[in-house]
């Protein structure tokens, strides 16, 4: 009877410690994952990760991922974690990610339709996690684009505020190039859509043939094989 009591006592003490160790390993892995994703975004990164529920089973071989892979993990973030040898179990952890760093703002009022140049930008420093998820922080992603609406001095730039300048307009006669290792062919056609650099639009040849091509220059498109 005493031996049985001892076994029960050891189990009662050991299981909570094991659960704590499992949760500690899980949070460390997620913390490392978020840091790797954000360390190049600014000068200082602060990650506040909510602890996983102690009532959930252990997460074996935790593999974090972002549900929205195209969005930078800033502000309130949900991180998915695949668990198990087959990675078949998924759970989610919540975090607050603050990154202190520079971002671009307008140095002057910019009118709609204006081609944005480097002289129209200033750099401001702050918490990137407090900005909209669609804020463009890098000047390289702003300069050379056209303002779609008026932008006030001191404002940050949103992805829907700007677009690449139109290099092709609907109805325009364009040149379409197809090339490979040992050939280069060009044909003239009629653009069926507006488009900017690297955008894919439809081009009509004659009365029936329609192909999709990528804009590479003003009035010039390329067929990608």
């Amino acid at each position: 009877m005493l031996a049985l009591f001892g076994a029960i006592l050891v189990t009662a003490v050991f299981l909570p410690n094991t659960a704590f160790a499992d949760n500690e390993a899980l949070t460390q892995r997620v913390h490392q994952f978020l840091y790797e994703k954000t360390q190049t975004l600014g000068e200082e990164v602060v990650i506040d990760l909510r602890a996983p529920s102690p009532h959930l089973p252990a997460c074996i071989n935790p593999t974090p991922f972002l549900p929205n892979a195209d969005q930078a993990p800033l502000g309130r973030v949900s991180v998915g974690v695949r668990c198990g040898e087959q990675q078949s179990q998924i759970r989610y952890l919540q975090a607050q990610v603050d990154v202190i760093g520079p971002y671009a703002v307008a140095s002057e009022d910019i009118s709609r339709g204006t081609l944005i140049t480097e002289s129209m930008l200033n750099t401001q420093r702050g918490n990137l996690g407090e900005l909209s998820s669609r804020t463009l922080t890098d000047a390289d992603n702003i300069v050379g684009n056209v303002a779609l609406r008026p932008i006030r001095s001191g404002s940050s730039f949103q992805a829907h505020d700007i677009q690449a300048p139109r290099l092709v307009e609907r109805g325009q006669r364009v040149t379409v190039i197809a090339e490979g290792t040992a050939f280069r062919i060009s044909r003239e056609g009629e653009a069926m859509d507006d488009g900017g650099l690297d955008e894919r639009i439809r081009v009509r040849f004659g009365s029936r043939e329609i192909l999709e091509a990528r804009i590479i220059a003003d009035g010039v498109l390329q067929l990608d094989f």
Side-chain angles (χ1 to χ4, degrees):
M1 183 70 179
L2 183 60
L4 178 60
F5 177 79
I8 294 174
L9 180 61
V10 169
T11 301
V13 173
F14 177 72
L15 285 179
N17 289 338
T18 302
F20 176 82
D22 289 336
N23 284 343
E24 186 73 12
L26 174 60
T27 54
Q28 287 181 0
R29 181 68 191 92
V30 173
H31 192 282
Q32 179 185 4
F33 170 78
L34 288 173
Y35 180 74
E36 291 171 353
K37 291 289 185 180
T38 55
Q39 62 175 326
T40 60
L41 299 179
E43 303 156 357
E44 180 183 350
V45 179
V46 179
I47 300 172
D48 183 12
L49 184 62
R50 185 179 299 174
S53 171
H55 304 296
L56 292 174
C59 180
I60 307 300
N61 190 26
T63 304
F65 67 94
L66 294 174
N68 188 351
D70 296 329
Q71 184 176 321
L74 294 171
R76 290 175 179 258
V77 176
S78 179
V79 182
V81 184
R82 295 185 177 92
C83 308
E85 296 299 331
Q86 305 300 322
Q87 300 283 277
S88 57
Q89 305 168 26
I90 297 179
R91 65 180 61 174
Y92 293 90
L93 273 67
Q94 305 302 313
Q96 174 69 33
V97 182
D98 295 325
V99 176
I100 309 302
Y103 61 96
V105 297
S107 63
E108 58 187 70
D109 290 341
I110 300 175
S111 302
R112 178 182 178 183
T114 301
L115 182 68
I116 301 172
T117 64
E118 190 172 355
S119 64
M120 298 177 183
L121 306 184
N122 274 337
T123 300
Q124 192 163 304
R125 187 175 181 276
N127 184 358
L128 305 185
E130 295 178 351
L131 301 177
S132 163
S133 62
R134 296 182 61 81
T135 300
L136 301 172
T137 59
D138 193 340
D140 290 341
N141 295 326
I142 302 170
V143 173
N145 287 284
V146 175
L148 293 178
R149 67 171 185 84
I151 301 172
R152 295 180 62 105
S153 176
S155 299
S156 59
F157 292 83
Q158 309 299 305
H160 55 264
D161 289 342
I162 63 176
Q163 72 175 16
R166 294 302 184 194
L167 297 180
V168 171
E169 295 183 359
R170 182 178 180 180
Q172 178 183 340
R173 299 297 296 177
V174 296
T175 299
V176 179
I177 299 171
E179 59 183 342
T181 305
F183 70 91
R184 177 185 172 89
I185 302 171
S186 64
R187 296 176 62 185
E188 282 197 0
E190 178 184 347
M192 299 180 66
D193 308 291
D194 299 332
L197 185 64
D198 283 331
E199 291 183 340
R200 301 178 66 84
I201 66 169
R202 297 168 300 158
V203 180
R204 177 188 287 119
F205 302 93
S207 59
R208 296 184 179 181
E209 186 180 4
I210 297 176
L211 296 176
E212 192 175 78
R214 179 172 55 89
I215 300 172
I216 59 174
D218 189 359
V220 182
L221 298 89
Q222 180 172 301
L223 285 176
D224 294 322
F225 298 100

